[in-house]
């Protein structure tokens, strides 16, 4: 209570400074008068009386200051004064202020931008209640290199009945549907979910309800829609519940609307339907692995416990169903990890990179401050002589750096604001597919703290240094003659800058080399001038296989006729797109494989002309032709070279009979051709053995058309859409993109990191060059007289140049060596992003410091040349 | 110092800064010689704590002076601090006595 009153009195005291001072002066005056009166009464002369009273009172000014100090919050007062003073100082020296603020803007802006992305992806809780309890359940087959694999519905039901760690396990998968409401027909992303999924996520629909377990079991024709769809299609109409929607040409009843910010696994889903699996079906016989599972841990059950339990269940299932489960196990992964996936590595690297950049920026500003303070040493000495304590001096200097820091911080936040939207646009799909990225108050608070901390980091050392000066020496010192401790410290700072920059540059170099390597990988096809788009036939209206076969034949024929089209065809899945179907393959005449070692191949179904259109080379035999694309033709297959290499080990492939397990019946058929390899996922992944079906024998209703254009592929998009809708006006055409885009997407994450890291390392290169230049230019100015003497004594200009450059070279070399060592130690972390080169790629590790040394020496040469031109007469006169 | 000021005000009634300083010196039998100026920060602190209040008045020989007086809170504080001080000095005294008896 007492303390509170005192603080209150002091705060009010802030505003009544003048009144207080006057009152105090009056009080002291009356005190002295009374004392003098008493003294005179005691017999002193008035003169003597006054002196005695003053002596007895003690230091008048000290007492006043002490009262003042008691009367208000002194530090606020001084802080204001320091700030005014600092502002004045910075205004007087705009070059310094601008460089410092720009350095900090760059450092803080980059850090805040990357932190924003990392915060959203890695730190912020997912938008579900108790999101920590949510996990994904995956199957995995380490032996074959399948991690986080889709799961088998049969295993899913066994997990549900045998596990006790979870309060719910639900199955789902992402797909897309053709959605119509009578007025329009569009392709929309959809999610099929079992009855458990939405309750396990604890999402509360804002209108209506979610699926019941019974509806899931019956695969009822009910749909839950997104807030977005409710807005766009129904204008937020309250009567939406109970309305009909056409889903793939079948009527569904809308039963619920989910809240606006809800998403799960993908952010683009607009429709949720039931999964409708029946555990009574013999799913191990009829279905492979194709769906996902999410589960909620019972409260109190730890992740490791659940993982142990599921591993046990997986082992039991492996023994119980060897032909289906040999080699397969279960993995339990926290939901966030599964959403963020690969992006984590990129982000950690980028976080490390911005930290380095921030160090460089701080070191640069510290450097500038040191230079500035060394000029102000005399001012410091004067202040010291006038009674300013050392702490007081340091505080004054720190105020200045905090103001620089805050200015940089504010500019940095603005920069980051723009940078984040740029980052999101540039980011690889995986990074933003399942998590939303927003910029909010948290980030601003973070930026504020960051700028405070950085300003103390870069300000403290120079401030301590500057305040240390001996008063006497400081006053006497002629500013140009000494190179004191400040310069040594500045050299170390520059060396630090160089070390960080070299490390950054090495990282950027590795990624750029990877990128170049990836761009030079032969993708196995010619991706130029190829347009791709997807068409999905509604299963209801295209139930008969013949209808589907006819549609795609007719469409391909008509697309082939389009002006500007060289050739047209279609496939079930694009290569290099990360998705595809895989299945077991048998080869006639070979003994059946042991469980767990069956032949597995990627399956694509294609129309005639696919290889020609995509530029995939036909190595042997022939392509499919029109005669193959009829249901009555015998089964014929085309396989990839990897298939021949792996499963036929050098035997003559043509004429071999194989069977790929895709339909209910899979008769053996002849291999009629062999084509070059194309990867399914990324350019750097090994191409999987692939079997190509002709569409008539695996008549998917969803195909991706590929058109080879004479020149501009995208210009064909509109005419192609007209062709499709000319055949069936209700068919939406979706995912229109060029094959070049598809290929580029495969190295998007490397490109993303490389571009950013490249930008960071250029920025830090610039900062470090400024640092080298600054230190040397300053030391040349300081040594003007010495250099003048040397020249007067006959030193050649070349010798002088060499001397100055050499003094810079030392810090450059030390810095570069340290940076190289750090980079070598850290580059292992980037391994998973690299391709074609080792984490210690010699070229990168020679080039990065070499570039640096060259730039730094150029930066050193400029002041050195100036030194060589010093005229001795002028130099000696400067003092 | 705070305790001495409070005690003085209790004993003498409202008094100005000079008077308080003088009085403290006298009571201590001039053994405690203090800079009179140093009394003012102490007075201000007590005033901020609302233990004393001040107003301008006229001194015995017609000088304008600022008079300080004890408030109710000040009286309580004085009682408390007196008790504390007595206890503390008693403890110290006992320690010193104990040392001699060893």
């Amino acid at each position: 209570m007492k303390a509170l009153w005192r603080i209150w009195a002091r705060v009010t005291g802030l505003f009544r400074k003048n009144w207080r001072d006057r009152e105090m002066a009056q009080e002291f005056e009356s005190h002295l008068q009374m004392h003098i009166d008493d003294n005179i009464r005691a017999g002193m002369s008035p003169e003597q009386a006054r002196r005695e009273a003053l002596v007895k009172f003690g230091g008048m000014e000290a007492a006043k200051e002490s009262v003042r100090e008691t009367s208000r919050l002194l530090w606020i007062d001084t802080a204001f004064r320091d700030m005014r003073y600092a502002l004045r100082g910075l205004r007087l020296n705009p070059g310094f202020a601008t460089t410092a603020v720009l350095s900090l803007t760059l450092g803080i802006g980059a850090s805040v931008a990357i932190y924003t992305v990392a915060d959203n992806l890695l730190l912020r809780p997912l938008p579900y209640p108790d999101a920590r309890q949510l996990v994904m359940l995956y199957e995995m087959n380490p032996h074959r290199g399948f991690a986080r694999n889709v799961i088998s519905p049969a295993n899913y039901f066994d997990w549900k009945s045998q596990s006790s760690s979870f309060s719910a396990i639900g199955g789902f998968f992402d797909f897309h549907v053709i959605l119509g409401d009578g007025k329009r027909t569009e392709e929309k992303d959809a999610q099929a979910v079992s009855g458990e999924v939405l309750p396990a996520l604890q999402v509360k629909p804002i209108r209506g309800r979610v699926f019941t377990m019974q509806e899931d079991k019956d695969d009822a024709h009910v749909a839950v829609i997104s807030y977005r769809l409710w807005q766009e299609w129904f204008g937020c109409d309250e009567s939406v519940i109970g309305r009909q929607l056409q889903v793939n040409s079948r009527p569904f009843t809308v039963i619920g609307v989910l809240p606006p910010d809800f998403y799960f696994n993908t952010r683009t889903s607009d429709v949720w339907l039931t999964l409708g699996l029946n555990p009574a079906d013999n799913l191990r016989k009829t279905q492979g692995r194709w769906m996902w599972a999410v589960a909620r841990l019972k409260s109190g059950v730890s992740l490791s416990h659940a993982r142990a339990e599921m591993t046990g269940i997986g082992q039991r299932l492996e023994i119980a169903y060897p032909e289906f489960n040999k080699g397969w196990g279960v993995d339990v992964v926290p939901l966030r990890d599964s959403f963020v996936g690969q992006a984590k590595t990129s982000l950690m690297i980028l976080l490390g990179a911005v930290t380095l950049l921030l160090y460089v920026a701080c070191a640069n500003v510290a450097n500038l401050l040191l230079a500035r303070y060394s000029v102000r040493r005399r001012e410091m000495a004067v202040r010291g002589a006038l009674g300013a304590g050392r702490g007081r001096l340091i505080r004054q200097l720190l105020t200045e750096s905090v103001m620089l820091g805050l200015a940089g911080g504010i500019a940095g936040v603005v920069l980051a604001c723009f940078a984040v939207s740029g980052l999101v646009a540039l980011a690889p799909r995986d990074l933003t597919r399942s998590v939303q990225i927003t910029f909010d108050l948290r980030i601003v608070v973070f930026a504020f703290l960051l700028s405070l901390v950085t300003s103390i980091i870069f300000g403290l050392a120079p401030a301590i240094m500057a305040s240390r000066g001996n008063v006497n020496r400081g006053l006497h010192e002629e500013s140009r003659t000494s190179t004191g401790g400040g310069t040594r410290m500045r050299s170390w700072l520059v060396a630090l800058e160089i070390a960080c920059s070299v490390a950054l540059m090495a990282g950027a170099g590795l990624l750029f080399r990877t990128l170049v390597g990836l761009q030079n990988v032969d993708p196995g096809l010619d991706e130029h001038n190829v347009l791709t788009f997807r068409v999905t036939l509604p299963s209801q209206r295209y139930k008969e296989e013949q209808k589907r076969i006819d549609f795609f034949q007719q469409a391909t024929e008509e697309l082939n006729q389009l002006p500007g089209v060289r050739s047209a065809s279609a496939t079930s899945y694009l290569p290099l797109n990360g998705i595809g179907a895989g299945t077991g393959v048998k080869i006639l005449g070979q003994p059946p494989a042991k469980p767990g070692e069956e032949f597995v191949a990627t399956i694509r179904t294609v129309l005639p002309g696919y290889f020609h259109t995509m530029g995939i080379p036909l190595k042997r035999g022939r392509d499919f032709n029109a005669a193959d694309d009829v249901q009555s033709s015998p089964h014929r297959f085309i396989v990839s070279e990897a298939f021949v290499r792996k499963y036929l080990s050098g035997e003559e492939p043509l004429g071999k009979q194989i069977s790929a397990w895709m339909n209910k019946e899979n008769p053996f058929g002849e291999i009629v051709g062999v084509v070059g390899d194309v990867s399914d996922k990324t350019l750097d992944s090994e191409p999987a053995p692939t079997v190509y079906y002709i569409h008539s024998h695996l008549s998917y209703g969803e195909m991706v058309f590929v058109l080879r254009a004479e020149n501009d592929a995208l210009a064909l998009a509109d005419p192609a859409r007209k062709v499709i809708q000319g055949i069936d006006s209700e068919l939406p055409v979706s995912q229109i993109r060029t094959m070049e885009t598809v290929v580029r997407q495969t190295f998007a994450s490397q490109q993303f990191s490389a571009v950013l890291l490249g930008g960071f390392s250029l920025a830090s290169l610039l900062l470090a060059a400024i640092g080298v230049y600054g230190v040397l230019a300053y030391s040349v100015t300081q040594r003007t007289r010495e250099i003048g003497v040397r020249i007067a004594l006959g030193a050649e200009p070349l010798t002088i140049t060499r001397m100055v450059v050499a003094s810079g070279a030392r810090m450059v070399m030390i810095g570069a060596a340290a940076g190289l060592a750090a980079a070598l130690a850290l580059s292992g972390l980037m391994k998973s992003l690299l391709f074609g080169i080792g984490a210690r790629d010699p070229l990168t590790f020679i080039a990065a410091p070499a570039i640096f040394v060259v730039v730094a020496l150029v930066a050193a040469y400029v002041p050195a040349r100036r030194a060589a031109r010093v005229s001795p007469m002028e130099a000696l006169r400067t003092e | 110092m705070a305790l001495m000021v409070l005690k003085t005000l209790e004993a003498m009634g409202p008094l100005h800064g000079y008077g308080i300083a003088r009085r403290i010196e006298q009571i201590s039998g001039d053994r405690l010689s203090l800079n009179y100026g140093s009394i003012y920060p102490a007075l201000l602190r007590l005033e901020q704590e609302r233990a004393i209040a001040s107003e301008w008045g006229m001194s015995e020989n017609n000088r304008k002076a600022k008079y300080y007086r004890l408030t109710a809170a000040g009286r309580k504080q004085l009682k408390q601090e007196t008790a504390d001080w007595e206890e503390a000095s008693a403890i110290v005294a006992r320690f010193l006595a104990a040392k001699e008896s060893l």
Side-chain angles (χ1 to χ4, degrees), chain A residues 2-3 5-6 8-10 20 23 26-28 30-31 33-39 41 53 55-59 63 66-68 70-72, chain B residues 16-19 21-22 25 33-41 43-45 47-50 54 56 59-61 63-66 68 77 81:
Chain A
K2 251 161 58 178
W5 277 122
R6 199 185 302 169
W8 169 244
R10 286 176 177 218
R20 267 251 168 250
E23 173 140 325
Q26 277 173 14
E27 188 174 11
F28 286 9
S30 89
H31 175 114
Q33 281 306 332
M34 285 189 282
H35 201 167
I36 292 168
D37 287 351
D38 279 359
N39 282 347
R41 224 171 294 140
V55 166
K56 198 71 194 132
F57 194 86
S66 170
V67 169
R68 272 191 209 119
T70 316
S71 71
R72 49 199 142 79
Chain B
H16 43 72
Y18 170 64
R22 257 295 162 51
E25 216 171 33
S33 132
L34 75 169
N35 275 339
Y36 288 177
S38 64
I39 192 121
Y40 288 100
L43 282 171
L44 182 58
R45 198 165 298 123
E47 198 179 354
Q48 283 173 349
E49 288 167 9
R50 311 250 152 153
S54 69
W56 288 93
S59 75
E60 46 276 31
N61 29 16
R63 292 249 177 233
K64 211 176 149 215
K66 201 174 184 183
Y68 293 89
Q77 190 178 338
E81 287 195 14

Side-chain angles (χ1 to χ4, degrees), chain A residues 188-190 226 228 263 265-272 433:
Chain A
K188 291 283 180 192
D189 285 329
S226 70
R228 189 170 43 221
Y263 65 84
N265 204 42
T266 67
R267 290 201 289 131
T268 48
S269 286
D270 276 320
V271 191
W272 285 264
R433 186 194 50 147

Side-chain angles (χ1 to χ4, degrees), chain A residues 341-350 829-833:
Chain A
Q342 262 286 312
K344 201 167 175 177
T345 325
S346 302
L347 268 179
M348 294 321 267
I349 288 169
L350 289 176
L829 300 177
M830 297 176 61
K831 214 164 189 164
S832 69
L833 282 178

